[in-house]
Amino acid sequence: MSSAVVVEDLRKTYGTVRAVGGVSFTVEHGEIFALLGPNGAGKTTTMEILEGFRTRDGGHVDVLGLDPGDRSTARILRERIGLVLQDIAVEPYLTVRETIARNAGYYPAPRDVDEVIGLVDLAGQEKKKVRTLSGGQKRRLDLALGMIGNPSLLFLDEPTTGFDPNARRGAWQLVRNLRDAGTTILLTTHYMEEAQELADRVAVISDGQIVAEGTPTTLGGRDTARARIRFAL
Ligand code: ATP
């Protein structure tokens, strides 16, 4: 089977700012792949191009066999990928269950609402109004909304920013559960620990370029790669 995501020589500039300067990587089906880099490295720009929200200046991009820049297939792609972005807007006066059930209605073959509530560990909280959720619970609701369409590929943008260490570990386990349930996951993070603990493979991005790539073991084991990661972060 072909890779879930293929990015080759991706380029994007904003005016005179080079945000992405020739990035290449592939994400295989069934893995957790982390794009690790500091603020301003080009992670969000890369992800937004893959999600079809932003145009590219050059390079080749393939997401589940489709080009996210092709408007004629945008709807098909939107139904097949799940997105967990920063600051997802939700109705504050709906309950957790109502919010997830409403989003389920947007997809042709959604997952079961109760199954998803269980997967993201919100069982027992489903009658709570969204406005009363803690930050960690809200982020788990975001994950539920990313999962409800039963995507085979999930994009997670900085999934644990703002979490305390315990909540972060809980979220990592949730993401592993999703991977083990068959979902391919591409995430961005600026936490080296998150990439090393969670990802099957990591690409380190700095100043719009990939400066190291490998498994957490090979990256952590090679002095040169480690030095490059430290430099990048
Ligand atoms: P962060 O973690 O802070 O979101 P990032 O790794 O996601 O950073 P990008 O947001 O992709 O990085 O930004 C890459 C570069 O492009 C930065 O120099 C940023 O200032 C610039 N940039 C991003 N979006 C725009 C825009 N809409 N207009 C102009 N410059 C932008």
Side-chain angles (χ1 to χ4, degrees):
M1 210 190 324
S2 56
S3 305
V5 176
V6 180
V7 178
E8 283 170 2
D9 196 23
L10 181 64
R11 280 167 278 124
K12 177 73 182 178
T13 52
Y14 300 105
T16 56
V17 178
R18 187 197 65 176
V20 179
V23 159
S24 303
F25 62 89
T26 58
V27 181
E28 304 302 337
H29 288 280
E31 73 175 350
I32 300 175
F33 188 98
L35 204 51
L36 168 69
N39 289 341
K43 304 183 296 296
T44 302
T45 300
T46 301
M47 292 291 264
E48 286 178 351
I49 292 169
L50 298 183
E51 292 157 358
F53 294 140
R54 206 172 269 293
T55 58
R56 60 185 186 264
D57 295 338
H60 170 77
V61 180
D62 182 308
V63 178
L64 298 176
L66 298 169
D67 179 346
D70 181 352
R71 283 178 179 271
S72 69
T73 52
R75 193 197 162 106
I76 301 173
L77 195 60
R78 200 55 48 77
E79 287 174 357
R80 290 186 191 165
I81 62 178
L83 304 180
V84 179
L85 310 172
Q86 301 286 342
D87 298 322
I88 300 170
V90 282
E91 281 288 335
Y93 291 98
L94 290 184
T95 66
V96 165
R97 196 170 201 297
E98 287 164 347
T99 304
I100 299 172
R102 191 164 80 162
N103 273 52
Y106 300 147
Y107 295 93
R111 281 182 117 116
D112 178 72
V113 173
D114 291 309
E115 181 209 346
V116 168
I117 287 172
L119 256 178
V120 301
D121 211 12
L122 279 174
Q125 317 286 330
E126 55 265 60
K127 290 189 182 142
K128 268 193 170 177
K129 297 251 193 282
V130 168
R131 69 184 173 85
T132 68
L133 297 180
S134 71
Q137 289 168 338
K138 169 65 172 47
R139 205 65 185 134
R140 278 186 260 152
L141 175 62
D142 293 342
L143 262 179
L145 298 179
M147 283 306 295
I148 191 65
N150 201 12
S152 56
L153 174 63
L154 187 59
F155 291 119
L156 301 179
D157 190 12
E158 307 263 355
T160 65
T161 295
F163 280 31
D164 64 42
N166 261 347
R168 182 163 297 139
R169 268 170 223 294
W172 291 346
Q173 194 51 49
L174 287 181
V175 175
R176 287 189 200 104
N177 292 349
L178 297 179
R179 188 259 325 266
D180 294 344
T183 310
T184 306
I185 291 158
L186 170 57
L187 64 93
T188 66
T189 183
H190 58 257
Y191 298 120
M192 189 177 342
E193 192 195 359
E194 180 157 274
Q196 289 194 317
E197 291 274 327
L198 184 56
D200 298 305
R201 287 193 307 126
V202 182
V204 182
I205 184 168
S206 173
D207 202 14
Q209 299 197 304
I210 304 290
V211 294
E213 191 179 344
T215 66
T217 320
T218 58
L219 276 183
R222 266 191 262 129
D223 287 349
T224 47
R226 210 184 300 158
R228 270 192 240 149
I229 294 170
R230 258 198 229 110
F231 170 75
L233 297 179

